[in-house]
């Protein structure tokens, strides 16, 4: 049985569910149908993911289910998110002749949010984003944002727009204009800027550590 379900927790559906559970642990006690509807994954995927988390030692059931070994699970989630889930969410890549275009742009006017590097750069004077990521739930809105900012579509560009896979209600904040610390951290560690690693460590301690307490 363990061999049959092993690995399902880190496919795209599993990564979405782990993200939801980290931010809203009550999903551990929800019905599979409720999870399927709210996390937007196939009903048939929920059981195998839960089984895999149990078999791998990440869910402990002592009368009440809870996540354990959270630090290890989070590390695996970050790797899986960057390698398997985020690439599937890409909507378009762009470039701009103005390297400072992002300083005055406001994606929230188009129901989008900045990715991790820009979020950190706006509050850290010495940081300059090498790769700019944004998250939108609407193709139309991201198209409008790109036109408004004068971005040119370029598959090799350093401005990448991704479709957000989460609902604000379980992404760690009811404010749809904010980005989950889990996504911010993943964006930072994926940066090619060496200075980002020290920033990522600081951000981890400030915004991630509390999610990982057993």
């Amino acid at each position: 049985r363990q061999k049959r379900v092993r690995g399902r927790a880190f496919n795209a559906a599993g990564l979405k569910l782990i993200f939801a559970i980290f931010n809203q642990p009550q999903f551990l006690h929800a019905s599979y149908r409720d999870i399927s509807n709210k996390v937007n994954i196939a009903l048939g995927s929920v059981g195998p993911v839960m089984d895999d988390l149990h078999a791998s030692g990440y869910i402990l059931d002592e009368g009440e289910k809870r996540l354990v070994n959270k630090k290890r699970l989070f590390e695996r989630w970050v790797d899986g998110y960057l390698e398997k889930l985020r690439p599937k969410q890409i909507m378009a890549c762009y470039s701009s002749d103005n390297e400072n275009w992002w300083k005055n742009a406001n994606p929230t006017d188009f129901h989008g949010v900045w990715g991790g590097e820009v979020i950190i750069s706006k509050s850290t004077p010495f940081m300059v984003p090498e790769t700019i990521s944004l998250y939108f739930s609407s193709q139309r809105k991201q198209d409008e944002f790109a036109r408004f900012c004068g971005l040119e579509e370029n598959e090799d560009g350093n401005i990448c727009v991704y479709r957000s896979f989460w609902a604000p209600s379980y992404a760690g904040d009811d404010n749809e204009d904010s980005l989950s610390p889990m996504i911010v951290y993943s964006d930072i560690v994926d940066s090619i800027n060496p200075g980002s690693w020290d920033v990522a460590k600081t951000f981890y301690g400030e915004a991630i550590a509390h999610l990982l307490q057993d």
Side-chain angles (χ1 to χ4, degrees), residues 10 93 97 103 105 143 154 161 198 202 208:
F10 300 97
C93 287
D97 293 333
K103 292 184 177 180
D143 288 342
N154 178 356
V161 181
D198 288 336
T202 300
I208 297 295

Side-chain angles (χ1 to χ4, degrees), residues 32 46 72 108 118 148 178 186:
Y32 285 2
V46 179
R72 173 60 178 152
T108 59
V118 172
F148 182 82
S178 66
S186 300

Side-chain angles (χ1 to χ4, degrees), residues 7 19-20 48 50 95 98 122 126 137 142 155 177 179 193 208:
F19 178 83
M50 288 294 201
S95 58
N98 178 8
K122 284 181 174 290
F126 67 86
S137 59
Q142 80 89 17
E155 63 179 14
D177 294 341
L179 187 65
N193 185 347
I208 297 295

Side-chain angles (χ1 to χ4, degrees), residues 133-204:
S133 56
L134 300 106
Y135 296 86
F136 287 82
S137 59
S138 164
Q139 180 73 50
R140 179 174 62 84
K141 287 296 184 181
Q142 80 89 17
D143 288 342
E144 291 176 1
F145 174 80
R147 287 195 298 270
F148 182 82
C149 295
L151 305 181
E152 297 183 6
E153 193 156 357
N154 178 356
E155 63 179 14
D156 296 319
N158 70 329
I159 305 162
C160 293
V161 181
Y162 300 92
R163 185 178 300 279
S164 53
F165 65 85
W166 58 86
S169 60
Y170 72 78
D173 198 318
D174 290 335
N175 181 0
E176 65 179 10
D177 294 341
S178 66
L179 187 65
S180 165
M182 293 176 68
I183 305 296
V184 175
Y185 179 81
S186 300
D187 285 346
I188 300 170
V189 299
D190 193 47
S191 169
I192 61 174
N193 185 347
S196 294
W197 283 96
D198 288 336
V199 174
K201 290 177 183 177
T202 300
F203 183 83
Y204 182 97

